Amino acid sequence: QVQLQESGPGLVRPSETLSLTCTVSGGSISSYFWTWIRQPPGKGLEWIGSIFHSGSANYNPSLRGRLSISVDTSKSQFSLKLTSVTAADTALYYCARESLSDYDAAYFFDYWGQGILVTVSP
Amino acid sequence: DIQMTQSPSSLSASVGDRVTITCRASQSITTYLNWYQQKPGRAPRLLIYGASTLQSGVPSRFSGSGSGTAFILTISSLQPEDFATYFCQQNYNLPRTFGQGTRVEIK
């Protein structure tokens, strides 16, 4: 069974860099898009960005310029760095696997981590 | 970005009720639409992908329909474990976007 686990600091100061890592176990990190999604308290879900095992990344334009996603296949990990954070970046951050359907071009998030709450506060 | 709009934002229903949730896309996404269930304190769970394909292990009381810009999630007979928030999500293009969620509460 594939499992994802987020790790990183739960408190980040304004203007500093938020850094999170997701560790994948129980399955290969190859052939999937590995994704970060966040959810501000009491609000909806926002796709942050994703990375393929090859290292090719896609970012949400709303965060581009502050965002970097990387992958370390040797450790089965992928990471998020978000610079110049503000209170608006306070959220529950999820890592997830995006898979492709076997018989059409449908992509979906089929495995999720439990989420990690990151608070941006002085 | 493709905007996803769900209705209603919340609903109250009783066990055994038939429940429908609507999701509309700001442009055609053909059938590139997924549905998720989220319970408090838990990560979202994939229910349906490709607008109508049930994810493995999901009860058959859940079904999805629609194409283009209008989609429906139906729970044929609401069970106690179905009280949760439901999100739609488009995978037609990037950035992936979600609906704001529909909270299903106990009546």
Side-chain angles (χ1 to χ4, degrees), chain A residues 29 71-77:
Chain A
I29 201 167
V71 63
D72 185 339
T73 55
S74 67
K75 295 181 179 179
S76 290
Q77 293 179 333

Side-chain angles (χ1 to χ4, degrees), chain B residues 2-3 5 7 9 12 18 20 25 29-30 35 41-42 49 65 70 76 80 83 85 92-93 95 98-99 103-104:
Chain B
I2 297 175
Q3 184 173 355
T5 304
S7 60
S9 296
S12 295
R18 180 182 181 88
T20 60
I29 57 171
T30 64
W35 289 99
R42 303 289 297 274
Y49 62 91
S65 63
S76 60
F83 292 96
T85 299
Y92 182 79
N93 65 9
F98 294 84
R103 185 174 178 182
V104 177

